[in-house]
Amino acid sequence: MHHRGDGRRMVTFTGLGSLPGTDLAAAARMTFDKVPDLPYLPELPARGPWASMIGRGLGLPAGLPADFSAGEWRLADAPGLDQRRSRATWRDDLDQLEEAAHGYSGRFKVAVTGPWTLAAAVGVAHTGRVLADPGARRDLAQSVAEGVGDLLADLRRRLPGVDLVLQVDEPSLPAVAAGAVPTPGGFFRHRSIDLPELCRALSWVTGEPARRGLTVPTVLHSCARWDGGWPLPSLLHGHSTAAGFDGISVDLDQLVAPDWDALAGAADAGATLYLGCLPTGGDPRPAGVDAVRRRALEALDRIGATDATSGALVLTPACGLAGWTPAEAARGFEVLARAAAQVEAELA
């Protein structure tokens, strides 16, 4: 029987997605054993392009066929071999997850690739990228939303004792907003997408669980820098054109000055803050407990959230851990566990 992640602790911790290796069963066991408060479905990009962030994202939507050729994903008339592999890998991963999660009750997180990161990476005939085609952007976002709904419904059926959390990975979102995504030739940049359209597409994804009758908290994760500051009010619940997220997940090293005020406002509004305080680059790997604890407490001090974190603070790595060894990843989770306990004690 797994530990119940019921949210009673003030400060929890989790991972963000990718882990090293190709053995999903072993990776899933690691998340249940090492991340008991908020385990998650790991992603293993070492398995091949169909298991990368983009390939896995295209394996989820059922309505948009794609093909992988010459190192690039492109929309196609029919699903290519790698997209069929991606869909088969999803099915196999969920089967193995169901076995690994037997007897578990509590929170469980699953991550999907967001529509804007897919639009920035996936090619389409005549326009270069989906990002350049308004109709293709809309179709892709709606397809992602439908795929997310199907995935969550399947997980609810397979894991009836689980409280699902949806993480939407959008590392390309700041570049999309800034008009910084290069065209395929690399000589030009795609036109920026305005905030209302960005939020509208994301709201289709965050709103899909409710349309399926599911209550699923959502968190937007991006480990990229948004120059000029993250527009958090528009991304979280409560704004007239909100994208509808309940939480935000950031790499502390990527924040610029305006972000700290934005995070303070998000904390005041009750958003869940996922603070990427375990560095994923540099040496040693992982950083020590004291360093991670200090980074978390300094971040909380900057946003003035040291007395308002009950149920709303999650410590994480800065980004995925696919480049680490399994032993390093396991130690990293142990560091986060001890740092979270120490931060909780400091805040008590």
Side-chain angles (χ1 to χ4, degrees):
M1 180 72 70
H2 294 290
H3 172 85
R4 178 177 174 83
D6 56 10
R8 284 194 291 265
R9 293 181 58 195
M10 286 176 58
V11 183
T12 57
F13 71 99
T14 191
L16 291 175
S18 64
L19 286 177
T22 59
D23 186 341
L24 190 282
R29 287 194 299 270
M30 177 187 289
T31 70
F32 282 110
D33 292 342
K34 298 294 186 180
V35 194
D37 286 322
L38 187 49
Y40 62 98
L41 179 62
E43 303 160 26
L44 305 179
R47 292 184 289 187
W50 60 89
S52 67
M53 175 175 285
I54 302 305
R56 194 168 175 82
L58 289 171
L60 190 60
L64 288 179
D67 184 50
F68 184 74
S69 178
E72 180 183 63
W73 285 97
R74 295 180 60 86
L75 298 185
D77 294 329
L81 173 62
D82 287 300
Q83 189 180 37
R84 295 197 300 272
R85 284 177 173 171
S86 178
R87 292 175 177 174
T89 298
W90 266 109
R91 291 191 296 270
D92 186 57
D93 286 358
L94 294 178
D95 288 342
Q96 294 189 66
L97 169 66
E98 188 173 2
E99 182 176 345
H102 180 70
Y104 174 77
S105 61
R107 295 187 301 163
F108 183 82
K109 182 164 63 70
V110 61
V112 298
T113 310
W116 292 111
T117 293
L118 288 173
V122 176
V124 66
H126 309 303
T127 59
R129 294 272 188 269
V130 169
L131 191 60
D133 185 326
R137 296 197 300 258
R138 182 186 60 251
D139 291 347
L140 178 61
Q142 291 176 343
S143 182
V144 170
E146 181 181 358
V148 165
D150 290 344
L151 171 65
L152 295 176
D154 191 14
L155 283 167
R156 177 70 71 212
R157 178 184 60 81
R158 291 171 179 265
L159 309 175
V162 159
D163 298 320
L164 294 171
V165 177
L166 175 67
Q167 173 183 314
V168 180
D169 291 326
E170 282 284 16
S172 297
L173 184 61
V176 170
V181 176
T183 58
F187 295 106
F188 302 99
R189 297 292 182 267
H190 284 283
R191 185 174 301 173
S192 64
I193 306 297
D194 62 27
L195 193 58
E197 184 180 351
L198 291 177
C199 291
R200 184 166 59 251
L202 291 168
S203 72
W204 292 335
V205 179
T206 61
E208 186 65 22
R211 287 191 286 271
R212 303 289 183 110
L214 302 172
T215 301
V216 179
T218 56
V219 55
L220 177 68
H221 167 63
S222 181
C223 51
R225 186 184 301 272
W226 193 311
D227 291 329
W230 278 87
L232 290 185
S234 296
L235 297 173
L236 299 168
H237 276 307
H239 192 273
S240 59
T241 58
F245 288 97
D246 302 292
I248 184 76
S249 173
V250 294
D251 175 356
L252 294 181
D253 286 333
Q254 298 300 320
L255 300 183
V256 295
D259 295 327
W260 297 102
D261 289 338
L263 284 174
D268 289 342
T272 301
L273 301 183
Y274 290 69
L275 301 182
C277 53
L278 176 71
T280 51
D283 188 61
R285 292 195 321 206
V289 176
D290 287 344
V292 173
R293 174 184 55 81
R294 284 196 304 271
R295 285 167 59 84
L297 289 172
E298 288 169 359
L300 291 174
D301 186 60
R302 290 194 67 172
I303 63 180
T306 53
D307 59 354
T309 58
S310 180
L313 177 63
V314 185
L315 306 188
T316 75
C319 211
L321 302 179
W324 291 26
T325 67
E328 288 171 338
R331 288 198 300 273
F333 290 138
E334 292 167 2
V335 167
L336 282 171
R338 293 172 59 191
Q342 292 180 14
V343 170
E344 182 178 44
E346 292 267 1
L347 300 178

